[in-house]
């Protein structure tokens, strides 16, 4: 049981890393035969297991997701074994615990990330297609051998993006809060829903633009060799 729980958590983490859809993660959580076959194939591969564990350790959002899934799985096992749970294993929601969130659509880490102007995955289209992010480039400035001029330009890009991202991110939090409140108070109509969701998605689009455009600007300041080195240092192995 312990081995299975740990491995399922790792698989869920890996699914998140490759932008898997929620139903894919759910299938891993509830398909016993699939879990057994994957466990048998990958658990002996200590190198892969080590890499996945390292990914969990270095990424706060992945770590939170693993803890959430482990907690839910343990709850399902304990309630099922005791015979006191009236919901079947197949009908249990993977949202268990999320009903306690202040804003249901945002995890505490997502709220914190938005407040701090973090990317929260919005720039993956750039980052994973050889458009480096300014913050990571600055963190790697010595290894990338950036010139003083490059550092100054990229720092300016980051500062501008970060200021805009913090402002828009906090507006997005409040828009999500308004949407959540409308449902929690049972005071919502199709018309008000359209207004609220349009506001949320408009802000999310603006926020994503800020992050992605910063990657475009950052790439323009780097040489092709530095971009290649960045991808290697970040561990990206995709073909160009």
């Amino acid at each position: 049981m312990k081995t299975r729980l740990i491995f399922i958590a790792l698989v869920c983490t890996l699914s998140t890393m490759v932008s898997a859809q929620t139903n894919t993660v759910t299938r891993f959580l509830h398909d016993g035969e699939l879990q057994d076959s994957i466990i048998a194939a990958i658990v002996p591969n200590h190198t892969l297991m080590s890499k996945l564990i390292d990914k969990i350790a270095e990424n706060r959002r992945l770590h939170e997701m693993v803890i959430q899934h482990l907690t839910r799985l343990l709850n399902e096992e304990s309630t099922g074994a005791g015979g006191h749970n009236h919901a079947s294993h197949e009908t249990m929601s993977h949202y268990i615990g999320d009903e306690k969130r202040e804003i249901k659509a945002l995890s505490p880490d997502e709220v914190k990330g938005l407040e701090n102007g973090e990317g929260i995955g919005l720039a993956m289209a750039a980052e994973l297609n050889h458009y480096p992010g300014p913050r990571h480039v600055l963190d790697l400035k010595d290894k990338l051998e950036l010139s003083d001029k490059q550092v100054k330009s990229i720092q300016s890009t980051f500062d501008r993006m970060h200021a805009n991202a913090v402002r828009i991110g906090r507006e997005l939090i409040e828009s999500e809060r308004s949407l959540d409140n409308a449902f929690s108070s049972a005071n919502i109509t199709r018309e008000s829903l359209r207004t609220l969701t349009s506001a949320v998605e408009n802000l999310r689009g603006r926020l994503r633009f800020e992050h992605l455009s910063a990657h475009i600007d950052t790439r323009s300041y780097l040489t092709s060799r530095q971009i290649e080195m960045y991808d290697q240092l970040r561990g990206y192995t995709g073909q160009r």
Side-chain angles (χ1 to χ4, degrees):
M1 176 61 188
K2 181 179 180 181
T3 299
R4 171 170 290 181
L5 286 174
I6 294 173
F7 184 73
I8 292 172
L10 291 172
V11 170
C12 290
T13 300
L14 181 60
S15 299
T16 301
M17 289 160 56
V18 297
S19 302
Q21 298 298 315
T22 301
N23 60 356
T24 301
V25 176
T26 302
R27 184 185 174 206
F28 280 123
L29 286 172
H30 298 293
D31 190 330
E33 291 186 10
L34 182 60
Q35 293 164 14
D36 288 338
S37 62
I38 295 177
I39 290 171
I42 300 184
V43 164
N45 189 331
H46 300 297
T47 300
L48 178 57
M49 291 289 286
S50 177
K51 287 181 178 179
L52 290 174
I53 292 171
D54 287 343
K55 285 293 182 182
I56 295 172
E58 71 186 24
N59 190 303
R60 188 179 66 228
R61 294 184 66 219
L62 294 181
H63 184 267
E64 180 195 17
M65 191 208 73
V66 169
I67 296 301
Q68 288 177 345
H69 281 300
L70 280 172
T71 300
R72 291 169 189 169
L73 285 167
L74 287 169
N75 286 340
E76 289 179 14
E77 288 292 326
S78 61
T79 55
H84 300 299
N85 186 18
H86 297 291
S88 70
H89 183 74
E90 291 76 14
T91 62
M92 292 289 285
S93 171
H94 57 276
Y95 295 140
I96 295 171
D98 292 347
E99 72 274 12
K100 299 176 183 178
R101 291 177 177 176
E102 182 181 356
I103 302 174
K104 307 303 184 291
L106 297 175
S107 71
D109 263 8
E110 287 173 323
V111 171
K112 185 175 181 179
L114 289 170
E115 290 177 335
N116 294 335
E118 297 174 8
I120 60 172
L122 293 175
M124 289 179 66
E127 175 74 9
L128 301 182
N129 280 300
H130 319 296
Y131 280 77
R135 181 174 67 83
H136 297 304
V137 169
L138 292 170
D139 289 342
L140 297 169
K141 63 182 180 181
D142 292 335
K143 293 183 178 180
L144 295 174
E145 299 179 347
L146 298 186
S147 67
D148 291 342
K149 182 178 180 180
Q150 285 177 311
V151 171
K152 183 178 179 180
S153 297
I154 295 171
Q155 184 67 60
S156 177
T157 294
F158 174 78
D159 291 342
R160 181 176 61 254
M161 177 276 294
H162 185 259
N164 290 335
V166 168
R167 175 176 52 81
I168 298 171
R170 292 179 179 179
E171 290 180 27
L172 177 56
I173 291 171
E174 293 310 310
S175 288
E176 287 282 11
R177 192 191 308 278
S178 295
L179 178 60
D180 192 86
N181 289 341
F183 275 100
S184 65
S185 64
N187 184 29
I188 191 165
T189 64
R190 291 178 64 87
E191 291 72 22
S192 61
L193 175 62
R194 187 180 302 280
T195 299
L196 290 165
T197 54
S198 293
V200 167
E201 296 311 314
N202 177 263
L203 287 166
R204 191 173 293 276
R206 288 169 54 195
L207 183 60
R208 194 176 188 193
F209 174 84
E210 291 296 335
H211 285 288
L212 288 171
S213 63
H215 282 246
I216 293 175
D217 292 343
T218 299
R219 179 182 166 109
S220 71
Y221 299 125
L222 301 173
T223 66
S224 58
R225 174 57 182 158
Q226 287 171 325
I227 295 171
E228 183 178 348
M229 289 174 61
Y230 175 87
D231 285 346
Q232 291 174 355
L233 289 167
R234 295 282 284 160
Y236 305 140
T237 59
Q239 296 296 316
R240 283 183 170 275

